[in-house]
């Protein structure tokens, strides 16, 4: 790496104004941010600066054509005060994969890792210890070129901003199985963390919210017969003692929590099936009592048990389970993330 | 309308620096812009101000989740110096339809029309007379709320910016019929001018560009057997003397130029078929000589003849035609737009 990161520290910290016991997700940001501009075909001087508004021309491409990708990741503090990241290189690989699909430039590995770690070190007081507490990290890239031609921008900004977080979901999560709306098409951008994939879910999800469901489980756009993902989570089904999840595809996000769970499950000798899942199969399993669990997985939610799903107007409750896979996976993942358990996988990285 | 528009004029104009004979599309903007913020559940005081950068928090929803919609429209100046708009209310209706699908608030009709006309009046010197010259107008709405929760924003900004334009396309337009990538899904947001729909096309289109094609004609994501739209244009096919275009759907934009052409064609006693079109039908028509024309329609392009298409590696040239429908439609539309012909439809509006 040729460019060293120029660091300008905030004169004062906002941290004393923050109520860390009552955080809304993603509303409060730490004192600093990492930024790096792309122009003239290359990434320019990287900077860590006080968290501050961006100044962009109204014609900046991101406002018009949604040329923007992002990642979600977390930093965890152990009881000794040491801070850990979870598979951060996988986030970089994925943001670059997302960027490629949106005709955006890749961000360099070493610069990402260095910027990320320096930023978190500077704002280390914002990472609170204790299960559930974390620093949510949002790397993102936006097209900044001031011109509204419908073509890939020549200028971009890569940023990392950080927000202190508690557990993302609380209480029962009830989901609606999509029957009308869709999240992604074959040959589309569903596998990418492309900004536009998320706005497209807001309206159907708000309709579901009005019916008392927190999330939608998306189905294939062609037939609505196959279960895919929940938009902010991948989804797992436990039928008897078999764990089933849909294969990743160009429509489904390659979730880092998802693949970690698959690995943990296999190593615990749980039978894992990665294959297309029909809605009818889960309805049938619910009716005959073999459906034991449904849960979502994602960085924000970690593991999020789903207590009921609705399909074609019929509500299916998932029975309470004593020895839940979701608890096992959450405990193992949290143990690795918070450095209270061995990490046989090398997923944990100190900063 | 309760709020009157607060107008702050630019101290100096940039217009003398502009080479109106050599304009790149969408790079130069006029001296003023119209803006209106949405917060606390309603649209706030509308303003016309000097064109200037926007200041947004890095956590503004638009950067992360692509909650943004836009429109494209034009103002035309006739030889007497009078300025005309073309079906502007249809643009407002469509941006509000797009906004609804992205869980964004509708913008009020009267405020839109007043803001639009006042803005163009103030920047009237930027509208140059003569066929091909126009003022490209870009209304758009972005989610500005500074919080990265994956849910609809509570704060938005509506803007209108304007850019002087010459003809959009020049030379031959050759298109690639999509066989792998897709633009939109059933139940998705393809019908909306949602920002994310455009970024998603950049990568496949850049691959097509490398093969010598300017645009992609998108096909249905399921089978790639049906022709849909070109991403920035709707598409028409002329087989013998019949004009065929795909029906609008949740995947296809309800183009204002498209529906104007359909109306003009019907009134000229041209047989118009609005129905699904198989790629195989057009390939067959090309082979047997009955394919007379292909052209795209859109605000930026108006009517854009397509000289060849490629499908499964085979190139099909569209034969040169003396008495082209596309010329007829372009001349009629331009005549209405530039006030050189009667407008029996009431499409033209003076400002």
């Amino acid at each position: 790496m040729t460019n060293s990161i120029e660091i300008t520290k905030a004169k004062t910290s906002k941290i004393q104004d923050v109520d860390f016991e009552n955080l809304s997700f993603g509303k409060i940001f730490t004192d600093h941010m990492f930024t790096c501009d792309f122009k003239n075909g290359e990434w320019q001087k990287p900077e860590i600066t006080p968290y501050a508004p961006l100044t962009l021309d109204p014609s900046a491409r991101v406002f018009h054509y949604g040329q923007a990708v992002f990642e979600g990741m977390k930093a965890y503090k152990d009881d000794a005060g040491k801070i850990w990241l979870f598979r951060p290189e996988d986030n970089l690989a994925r943001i670059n994969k997302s960027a490629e699909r949106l005709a955006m430039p890749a961000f360099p590995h070493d610069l990402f890792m260095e910027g990320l770690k320096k930023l978190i070190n500077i704002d280390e007081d914002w990472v609170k210890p204790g299960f559930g507490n974390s620093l949510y990290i949002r790397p993102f890239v936006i097209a900044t070129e001031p011109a509204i031609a419908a073509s890939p921008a020549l200028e971009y900004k890569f940023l990392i901003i950080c927000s202190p977080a508690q557990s993302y979901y609380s209480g029962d999560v009830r989901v609606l199985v999509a029957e009308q709306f869709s999240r992604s098409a074959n040959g589309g951008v569903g596998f990418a963390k492309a900004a536009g994939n998320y706005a497209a879910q807001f309206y159907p999800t708000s309709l579901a919210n009005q019916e008392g469901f927190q999330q939608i489980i998306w189905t294939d756009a062609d037939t609505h017969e196959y279960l895919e993902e929940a938009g902010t989570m991948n989804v797992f089904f436990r039928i008897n003692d078999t764990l089933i999840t849909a294969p990743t595809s160009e429509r489904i996000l390659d979730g880092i929590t998802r693949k970690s769970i698959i690995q943990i499950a296999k190593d615990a000798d749980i039978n894992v099936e990665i294959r297309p899942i029909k809605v009818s199969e889960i309805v049938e399993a619910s009716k005959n009592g073999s459906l034991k669990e449904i849960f979502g997985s994602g960085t924000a939610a970690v593991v999020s048990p789903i207590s009921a799903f609705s399909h074609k107007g019929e509500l299916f409750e998932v029975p309470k389970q004593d020895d839940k896979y979701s608890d096992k996976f959450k405990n193992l993942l949290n143990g690795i993330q918070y450095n209270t358990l061995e990490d046989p996988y090398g997923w944990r990285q100190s900063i």
Side-chain angles (χ1 to χ4, degrees), chain A residues 38-42 61 67 105 143-146 151-156:
Chain A
F38 182 91
K39 65 168 79 166
N40 302 324
E42 57 187 1
R61 210 74 121 233
Q67 211 186 1
T144 54
E145 188 191 356
S151 57
L154 299 175
E155 295 171 15
Y156 298 88

Side-chain angles (χ1 to χ4, degrees), chain A residues 7 49 51 68 170 184 202 223 231 239 255 260 286 304 326 329 337 351:
Chain A
I7 297 174
T49 55
Y51 186 91
S170 54
S184 66
F202 288 171
T223 67
I239 295 183
S260 302
S286 175
S304 181
S326 60
F329 300 142
Q337 289 163 338
I351 67 157

Side-chain angles (χ1 to χ4, degrees), chain A residues 169-235:
Chain A
Y169 290 109
S170 54
D172 271 4
V173 176
R174 297 155 72 95
V175 299
L176 188 69
V177 175
E179 292 155 35
Q180 178 194 354
F181 293 106
S182 304
R183 182 181 167 277
S184 66
N186 296 319
V189 299
F191 70 87
K193 284 188 88 77
N197 288 343
Y198 293 79
Q201 299 179 63
F202 288 171
Y203 176 70
T205 303
S206 66
L207 295 181
N209 293 161
Q210 287 165 25
E211 296 178 48
F213 302 98
Q214 284 73 44
Q215 295 254 324
I216 291 172
I217 297 187
W218 296 103
T219 49
D220 67 293
D222 304 358
T223 67
H224 296 294
E225 284 181 12
Y226 290 91
L227 294 154
E228 303 211 319
E229 60 155 278
T232 61
M233 307 190 290
N234 294 107
V235 183

Side-chain angles (χ1 to χ4, degrees), chain A residues 237-239 241-245 262 265-266 268-274 325:
Chain A
F237 303 88
R238 175 183 170 188
I239 295 183
D241 288 339
T242 296
L243 190 66
I244 312 170
T245 194
I262 290 168
K266 284 182 174 170
D269 287 328
I270 291 169
N271 184 35
V272 181
E273 295 181 2
I274 300 167
Y325 284 177

Side-chain angles (χ1 to χ4, degrees), chain A residues 35-69:
Chain A
T35 61
C36 190
D37 288 327
F38 182 91
K39 65 168 79 166
N40 302 324
E42 57 187 1
W43 293 102
Q44 305 292 313
K45 187 154 191 64
E47 285 188 89
I48 291 174
T49 55
Y51 186 91
L54 306 179
T55 300
L56 285 176
D57 197 86
S59 67
R61 210 74 121 233
V62 63
F63 296 137
H64 301 270
Y65 305 129
Q67 211 186 1
V69 295

Side-chain angles (χ1 to χ4, degrees), chain A residues 5 7 48 113-123:
Chain A
I5 300 171
I7 297 174
I48 291 174
M113 292 306 299
E114 189 191 345
L116 178 65
K117 291 181 177 181
K118 281 202 168 141
L119 177 64
I120 296 167
N121 264 325
I122 288 174
D123 283 337

